[in-house]
Amino acid sequence: MRMGRQLACSTLKMARTALTLLFILEAWLSFAQRATTFTALSYNIENAFDTIHDEGKNDWEYCTGGERRWTTSRLFKKLRSISKVIASADEDRPVDVIGLCEVENENVMNCLTKASPLRHMGYKYVMTESEDERGIDVALLYSPFTFRLFAYESIRVNTEKRKTRDILHASGSLTNGDTLDIYVVHLPSKRGGASALRFSLHATEILASHIDSVASSRTKPNIILLGDFNADTNSPQIKRLTKERQLTAHTLHLKPGSYKYQGEWSTIDHILSYLSSLSHKETKALPLPFLIQPDETNRGIKPLRTFLGTAYAGGVSDHLPVMSVFEWK
């Protein structure tokens, strides 16, 4: 009898959960059909690793027993905070597409979309599987109600001597039926001087060529670039993407910036676009209260990062998220 009651209660609880989820998804779909804006968010989430070794990758410092003492509980704390960022980014409705940098693997993305508070919001994802030595990749979270994915691919930008993150290209349709192409980018690091710059420009040229090819194949091109370019707004990488093309960088006057190094803010996380069906409304950094802390050395604020060196600091990322709002033409 007791087992029967327990089973009945369990079934009722599952039914209520399913109905709640269905209500949320139906409400989101209804809102999406009436929406006047489309939102895109770019966020480097600073080494979102699980605790399991990936074969062939140098991820030992984040494995169980590694020098960073990374744990499953710390990972899930980070994922809950990322969920909170996405839920808090737009006061009116959920963000439509989110480009994430520094994601280790599908295990992390499955945990984010299925085992964090984000599971109630219906997001889906695609990601790369690159040859990066540490095993970090980029991913795209998207609402299937406002961006209907029909294809995606990884764009490899390695050279014979150096390997880095692939660029993710995803194609889908907007609610009016027009195609939107999204690129999630994490260009090579600045470290290494002139050699590093050449490698970054090499990756930029491959990206630019791919964009040109896609744009020429669309009747009404809609293209959005999201990600960590490891290059500020005046860099040759950003200029090469905007000077000879109709791409617009929306982060030229971003305040306070997206990344703080040695007391100085800069913008290395960018959102660029070329749009036929949408027009740009605004772009802003999101210094949400739980993402920042006082900068006691240099004044002002700074991101509350996950690690300071190898010491756990308990924050989410050393970057701030950046969000653009677009309006339907």
Side-chain angles (χ1 to χ4, degrees):
M1 183 69 71
R2 181 181 298 174
M3 183 175 294
R5 285 198 298 268
Q6 289 175 340
L7 181 60
C9 289
S10 177
T11 303
L12 181 59
K13 184 177 181 180
M14 290 174 62
R16 287 175 176 171
T17 301
L19 286 172
T20 301
L21 182 58
L22 181 62
F23 174 79
I24 292 171
L25 296 183
E26 286 182 344
W28 192 353
L29 179 58
S30 175
F31 196 96
Q33 292 170 336
R34 295 180 285 108
T36 59
T37 61
F38 185 89
T39 48
L41 188 142
S42 175
Y43 197 15
N44 181 321
I45 54 176
E46 190 195 348
N47 295 319
F49 282 80
D50 63 18
T51 62
I52 304 166
H53 174 58
D54 280 359
E55 188 68 29
K57 303 298 183 182
N58 185 17
D59 60 357
W60 294 107
E61 60 184 328
Y62 285 93
C63 294
T64 301
E67 65 176 315
R68 291 185 183 267
R69 299 178 183 175
W70 191 235
T71 64
T72 301
S73 62
R74 288 179 174 181
L75 170 63
F76 273 89
K77 178 184 178 184
K78 186 183 187 82
L79 297 181
R80 286 193 297 271
S81 296
I82 294 168
S83 299
K84 190 175 178 181
V85 170
I86 295 169
S88 305
D90 191 327
E91 295 180 354
D92 296 323
R93 66 187 185 91
V95 180
D96 295 296
V97 293
I98 302 108
L100 297 176
C101 297
E102 296 199 12
V103 182
E104 185 188 17
N105 52 34
E106 291 213 30
N107 185 34
V108 174
M109 291 304 299
N110 277 323
C111 289
L112 177 62
T113 55
K114 298 176 182 178
S116 81
L118 210 63
R119 67 185 182 275
H120 298 301
M121 299 179 71
Y123 281 107
K124 296 184 180 297
Y125 76 88
V126 290
M127 69 179 301
T128 58
E129 188 174 345
S130 67
E131 295 180 341
D132 178 77
E133 179 183 349
R134 296 177 60 233
I136 58 173
D137 282 283
V138 299
L140 176 71
L141 274 174
Y142 64 94
S143 160
F145 307 112
T146 55
F147 178 73
R148 297 181 177 90
L149 181 79
F150 53 72
Y152 73 97
E153 61 181 322
S154 290
I155 304 169
R156 191 141 289 177
V157 298
N158 296 339
T159 66
E160 290 185 4
K161 296 182 179 180
R162 302 183 69 168
K163 296 178 180 179
T164 190
R165 284 80 53 178
D166 293 352
I167 295 168
L168 177 63
H169 170 227
S171 303
S173 60
L174 296 164
T175 52
N176 69 346
D178 289 348
T179 298
L180 171 64
D181 290 280
I182 301 175
Y183 293 86
V184 185
V185 181
H186 189 183
L187 289 184
S189 169
K190 295 180 180 181
R191 290 190 297 272
S195 173
L197 177 60
R198 285 193 297 271
F199 188 35
S200 183
L201 288 171
H202 161 79
T204 304
E205 290 297 341
I206 293 175
L207 171 62
S209 177
H210 197 282
I211 291 170
D212 289 345
S213 177
V214 167
S216 65
S217 70
R218 306 296 189 210
T219 304
K220 296 172 65 177
N222 292 288
I223 299 170
I224 295 177
L225 278 66
L226 306 166
D228 177 358
F229 288 73
N230 272 309
D232 63 28
T233 51
N234 295 315
S235 67
Q237 294 93 318
I238 299 300
K239 289 180 179 178
R240 289 197 184 191
L241 289 168
T242 58
K243 186 177 180 181
E244 298 178 3
R245 295 163 183 84
Q246 298 183 47
L247 283 167
T248 301
H250 300 302
T251 45
L252 294 177
H253 307 291
L254 196 70
K255 300 296 181 182
S258 67
Y259 185 75
K260 197 172 191 180
Y261 179 68
Q262 294 184 345
E264 296 293 330
W265 282 102
S266 64
T267 298
I268 61 175
D269 303 274
H270 298 282
I271 300 177
L272 297 85
S273 73
Y274 171 64
L275 301 167
S276 299
S277 305
L278 299 161
S279 59
H280 178 254
K281 181 181 180 182
E282 65 172 335
T283 294
K284 56 187 177 181
L286 301 177
L288 301 171
F290 60 95
L291 297 181
I292 58 174
Q293 63 180 336
D295 188 342
E296 297 176 355
T297 303
N298 302 289
R299 297 183 181 180
I301 59 171
K302 62 181 180 181
L304 177 57
R305 42 192 308 171
T306 306
F307 282 93
L308 289 171
T310 58
Y312 182 64
V316 184
S317 176
D318 50 349
H319 294 244
L320 291 179
V322 176
M323 186 176 76
S324 285
V325 180
F326 303 97
E327 294 180 311
W328 290 99
K329 287 185 178 179

